[in-house]
Amino acid sequence: ADMERLVERLEKAVERLEGVCQGPAVCGDGPSQGKAPAYVQAFDALLAGPAAQYVKISREVGGDVQTHAEMVHAGLMSERSLLVLASQHQQPTESKFSTLLKPISEQIQVVQNFREKNRGSKMFNHLSAVSESIPALGWVAMSPKPVPYVKEMTDAAMFYTNRILKEYKDVDKKHVDWVKAYLSIWTELQAYIKEYHTTGLTWSKTGPVAAEGANAPCAPPGGAAPAPPGPPPPPAPAPVCSGADPSASRSALFAQINQGEDITSGLRHVSDDMKTHKNPALKNQGGPVRSGPKPFTAPKAACSGNPTTKTSPKKEPPLLELEGKKWRVENHENATNLVISDTELKQVAYVFKCTNSTLQVKGKINSITIDNCKKLGLVFDDVVGIVEIINSRDVKVQVMGKVPTISINKTDGCHVYLSKSALDCEIVSAKSSEMNVLIPTEGGDFTELPVPEQFKTVWNGQKLVTTVTEIAG
């Protein structure tokens, strides 16, 4: 079935190429037939190298990873189309450039939505690594520092790629190779940008100004780019309400203009005693103050029928179930009595998008992950692996037994209550704020201690030394 689908896609690609490449003057990446500009050739080398290797290994892994890789490849091809366009056209206005970026931004959204729809996937870490870093394709809009932006997106993937390496290091080398191939795409892209687009996307100094309707370039050797989307439909005409005849209004306006100098004859003369800057007493007099004309605003369709209402995003149903060895707790709101009691050592718990809720995990469990939650309270007995808090806000975690490691990443507001037997717990944090650890006292109370957020780094002659900065005030 996969082979038939691949053959069908290739046939469609050939048909598109035959339709576009009618002659030597139509198909080509640059002014001279058969030779693409230098930075397009360099990007093609990236596609043929790290990107092709990533797609190849993803097909070997199969399943969701393969599907995701095809989406990423489509995004890279959309980016190549923009690069060829830039090599042949001058830089457009910001509004037109936003339109040209639309295919790339839409493909980024497709990649990220696939991860969100497959949170129960066994390859969720693979999907997350790609989903967190795919916005790097937007470097073309990041002027004047596109390279740091790509690096930041690459770093966002590291959290998940490290988990993949830890899980498969001694189990399946194919997944280790997958991580290396995927990360090399962004590493090579940074080097590519440094060489050809240091301060932003390089546009041609000659040729027409880029527009949405510009001809799309052909695909590089070995693949075919998808057909570009057509231009959006023209805006609907504004509804015309009953009122004065516009032609009559125009006639009256031109009649006034044609008066020449007599057009000012009807204006009233303002003497010095009526001017506030020459007669300050006028400022102290009461009465309404006249303001100037209001700024122009687009006319509202007063005679329109039923106004369109914004549709709210679909609300996912709450979930608390055991799927294989994973407890899934998702989409709960104002639920204060969530309990997982029948636990085993090999099980993990994944808590996603819960708001203003409380979860208690009884017994001993392997790991707990809190993702994209707000105002969540977590109470658990024992965890033999790690407790992770990611992309969350205002989270409170209480350890009743033991836990070796607690990881806090991209979280604002996190309180960790340790038990006496968990005082040797390691707390690892990154890109987070307002973190506090509460240590139990002999009287049964807790002593609250803040986790440092500000650091000082100095060069000691041999290496960089980082220390916590005490904020005075």
Side-chain angles (χ1 to χ4, degrees), residues 51-94:
Q53 182 69 6
Y54 156 69
V55 173
K56 176 178 177 292
I57 299 177
S58 297
R59 287 172 179 166
E60 294 175 0
V61 174
D64 292 338
V65 174
Q66 178 181 353
T67 305
H68 220 201
E70 292 173 355
M71 297 176 179
V72 173
H73 185 260
L76 290 168
M77 296 305 298
S78 296
E79 186 140 289
R80 182 188 185 274
S81 297
L82 180 62
L83 291 174
V84 177
L85 186 73
S87 71
Q88 301 173 354
H89 295 77
Q90 298 183 48
Q91 185 171 359
T93 61
E94 187 174 345

Side-chain angles (χ1 to χ4, degrees), residues 98-113:
S98 299
T99 305
L100 295 175
L101 289 173
K102 193 174 181 182
I104 296 176
S105 60
E106 287 179 346
Q107 195 60 32
I108 291 174
Q109 194 64 45
V110 168
V111 172
Q112 293 181 327
N113 288 343

Side-chain angles (χ1 to χ4, degrees), residues 75-361:
L76 290 168
M77 296 305 298
S78 296
E79 186 140 289
R80 182 188 185 274
S81 297
L82 180 62
L83 291 174
V84 177
L85 186 73
S87 71
Q88 301 173 354
H89 295 77
Q90 298 183 48
Q91 185 171 359
T93 61
E94 187 174 345
S95 59
K96 289 183 179 179
F97 186 41
S98 299
T99 305
L100 295 175
L101 289 173
K102 193 174 181 182
I104 296 176
S105 60
E106 287 179 346
Q107 195 60 32
I108 291 174
Q109 194 64 45
V110 168
V111 172
Q112 293 181 327
N113 288 343
F114 185 78
R115 190 270 294 262
E116 296 302 321
K117 293 176 182 178
N118 292 276
R119 287 192 164 271
S121 173
K122 294 180 180 179
M123 298 296 173
F124 181 70
N125 286 331
H126 297 67
L127 304 185
S128 296
V130 174
S131 182
E132 290 291 329
S133 54
I134 195 64
L137 291 178
W139 69 266
V140 289
M142 294 298 165
S143 178
K145 296 182 178 180
V147 175
Y149 174 75
V150 176
K151 185 179 185 306
E152 182 181 351
M153 294 300 104
T154 308
D155 292 343
M158 291 292 191
F159 177 81
Y160 294 99
T161 55
N162 288 341
R163 297 175 72 174
I164 298 171
L165 294 175
K166 182 178 179 181
E167 181 178 356
Y168 291 97
K169 185 177 180 180
D170 300 321
V171 179
D172 191 344
K173 188 175 179 295
K174 187 186 301 178
H175 293 267
V176 177
D177 294 338
W178 182 90
V179 169
K180 293 178 180 178
Y182 180 70
L183 293 180
S184 67
I185 295 176
W186 307 122
T187 305
E188 292 292 328
L189 182 61
Q190 291 177 55
Y192 166 80
I193 297 171
K194 282 182 182 178
E195 184 172 355
Y196 297 101
H197 310 275
T198 310
T199 59
L201 179 60
T202 302
W203 292 86
S204 174
K205 301 298 182 183
T206 60
V209 177
E212 186 182 4
N215 290 335
C218 296
V240 180
C241 304
S242 60
D245 184 7
S247 61
S249 300
R250 284 195 297 271
S251 300
L253 174 62
F254 285 116
Q256 287 184 336
I257 293 174
N258 290 332
Q259 293 179 27
E261 294 181 357
D262 293 337
I263 195 170
T264 61
S265 60
L267 298 179
R268 184 164 61 93
H269 176 69
V270 181
S271 59
D272 289 346
D273 61 338
M274 300 171 66
K275 300 175 182 177
T276 57
H277 66 285
K278 291 190 177 183
N279 189 3
L282 292 176
K283 295 182 180 179
N284 301 325
Q285 295 179 0
V289 179
R290 295 191 63 181
S291 60
K294 293 183 179 180
F296 172 78
T297 55
K300 294 182 180 180
C303 61
S304 59
N306 296 328
T308 57
T309 57
K310 291 185 178 179
T311 57
S312 56
K314 183 180 178 181
K315 191 174 182 180
E316 299 292 338
L319 182 69
L320 198 165
E321 66 177 13
L322 179 62
E323 187 179 86
K325 296 179 181 179
K326 177 191 288 188
W327 283 97
R328 295 177 60 189
V329 186
E330 302 178 6
N331 306 309
H332 287 275
E333 292 186 11
N334 302 315
T336 58
N337 56 350
L338 300 173
V339 179
I340 297 176
S341 56
D342 189 14
T343 58
E344 296 179 5
L345 187 59
K346 294 182 179 180
Q347 293 175 349
V348 300
Y350 180 70
V351 188
F352 174 68
K353 236 175 188 178
C354 293
T355 304
N356 198 27
S357 301
T358 304
L359 171 66
Q360 183 178 5
V361 181

